[in-house]
Amino acid sequence: MGFSTNAYNIWRVESQAIFDFSVLVSYSVPSLKMQISLLEKGKIKSLPKFDYYRSTKEGYYSSENLREGLKRRASTYKQQTSSYMLLSLFSHFEAFVVDVIRELFEFHGGVDKFIENYDKSVKKSFEVGNQNSNSKRKLTGNRKPQRKTQYQEISRNLSSSGYMFPNELLSGYGIKMLNKKLGDLKSKEIPELLMDCFHIDFSEDEVREFHNLRDLRNSIAHGRPPSLNIKSVTEKNQVLIGMAKKIDSHLSANFFIFNEFR
């Protein structure tokens, strides 16, 4: 079993904290409603003082204005708690994606070191190409199908000597662009970036459900909250859990690999 990235471990802790807080709220609000009911029946004289928003007004914790204000807020707490949970869970997932890529760069010594090592490989490749110019020349010009076996043997020999073919030579630009993109990564770009850049095999269902969650998040952020409850948010969050696990395991197994350059 491979190791987990620090970004994944942080995401897991923070996501659980969101659910822990929802548990606290789910216990606290019914308890508050019961306290208000006891106050209205005259069985207690006042409500408990708040940790925050304390008042020095006489009779404040037994006043009708306070009771009605709390009852109004408590009447929508399920919808609000669910909406805030979804907002937070999605935001933490977005942060995880950026953080795990940055952690990958740091694993390889930082972006500058990553690019420096790449440049060393390019320099080595050109040297190998010059030293094996006759072999390399045989791979230029019009391809002749009958020489396929010969081409393959030449390609293997060049590659084993440190020669980089065009697809590898172009990858350095991708490193630079990826680092630049992290500073302004849009949530709608996340699945495509992870699939195209890191070859993570997300299913069509995962991508579709991710964008559905993104639409819900946007609706909440723009003041158009959909009908949600904690159960539905928990179910919808499963797609983020599955994607996070897939990202972490795939990157850990295939990209957090030491590369000792010649």
Side-chain angles (χ1 to χ4, degrees):
M1 184 177 178
F3 70 94
S4 292
T5 61
N6 290 331
Y8 177 77
N9 290 328
I10 291 172
W11 165 83
R12 190 170 54 182
V13 169
E14 292 301 321
S15 295
Q16 184 58 51
I18 294 169
F19 282 96
D20 290 346
F21 183 75
S22 74
V23 172
L24 183 64
V25 173
S26 296
Y27 273 91
S28 299
V29 175
S31 177
L32 174 62
K33 289 181 176 180
M34 183 178 67
Q35 291 287 321
I36 292 174
S37 176
L38 292 174
L39 178 63
E40 291 176 336
K41 292 176 182 178
K43 294 185 177 181
I44 59 174
K45 293 183 178 181
S46 70
L47 296 175
K49 291 184 179 180
F50 311 140
D51 285 338
Y52 299 98
Y53 314 111
R54 284 177 178 265
S55 175
T56 57
K57 295 180 180 178
E58 184 177 353
Y60 178 78
Y61 295 100
S62 60
S63 67
E64 182 179 353
N65 285 341
L66 175 62
R67 294 199 312 271
E68 292 305 314
L70 291 174
K71 286 165 68 174
R72 184 182 69 254
R73 293 179 176 89
S75 66
T76 59
Y77 92 94
K78 293 180 181 179
Q79 171 67 41
Q80 290 178 327
T81 302
S82 302
S83 295
Y84 297 151
M85 285 177 66
L86 193 145
L87 276 173
S88 299
L89 289 166
F90 197 89
S91 295
H92 279 299
F93 181 82
E94 288 179 291
F96 159 67
V97 171
V98 173
D99 288 347
V100 76
I101 296 174
R102 285 179 173 157
E103 184 179 342
L104 173 61
F105 282 144
E106 290 305 314
F107 179 87
H108 291 284
V111 174
D112 292 341
K113 186 65 176 179
F114 208 126
I115 295 173
E116 178 186 334
N117 286 340
Y118 169 79
D119 290 340
K120 288 180 181 178
S121 293
V122 172
K123 182 178 179 180
K124 173 69 175 178
S125 173
F126 290 153
E127 291 174 353
V128 170
N130 291 333
Q131 294 165 3
N132 296 272
S133 57
N134 289 334
S135 295
K136 189 175 71 169
R137 191 177 298 114
K138 294 176 182 178
L139 298 177
T140 61
N142 295 325
R143 182 183 285 104
K144 298 178 180 179
Q146 66 270 25
R147 294 185 179 179
K148 181 178 180 180
T149 301
Q150 181 185 14
Y151 294 154
Q152 290 175 336
E153 183 178 358
I154 294 172
S155 298
R156 281 194 295 268
N157 290 337
L158 285 172
S159 182
S160 64
S161 298
Y163 183 76
M164 299 172 69
F165 288 86
N167 61 324
E168 297 171 291
L169 289 171
L170 292 170
S171 64
Y173 182 77
I175 296 171
K176 295 176 182 178
M177 290 301 101
L178 175 60
N179 182 55
K180 183 177 180 180
K181 171 59 70 177
L182 290 182
D184 187 34
L185 180 62
K186 304 293 190 299
S187 60
K188 66 180 181 180
E189 301 170 325
I190 287 176
E192 183 180 46
L193 180 143
L194 293 170
M195 291 188 291
D196 291 347
C197 185
F198 296 102
H199 316 288
I200 297 177
D201 186 22
F202 291 133
S203 68
E204 291 183 5
D205 286 344
E206 285 177 312
V207 174
R208 182 176 61 254
E209 289 302 318
F210 173 84
H211 287 302
N212 287 341
L213 275 173
R214 183 174 63 83
D215 289 341
L216 287 175
R217 187 279 305 269
N218 291 343
S219 294
I220 295 168
H222 291 286
R224 301 186 300 273
S227 178
L228 293 170
N229 55 51
I230 292 176
K231 181 181 178 181
S232 65
V233 171
T234 301
E235 292 172 349
K236 294 178 186 302
N237 187 55
Q238 291 303 307
V239 67
L240 298 182
I241 292 175
M243 291 178 74
K245 287 181 177 178
K246 190 173 286 188
I247 293 166
D248 179 67
S249 62
H250 181 82
L251 294 186
S252 296
N254 299 293
F255 288 86
F256 281 79
I257 306 294
F258 291 114
N259 191 344
E260 295 299 332
F261 292 84
R262 297 181 180 87

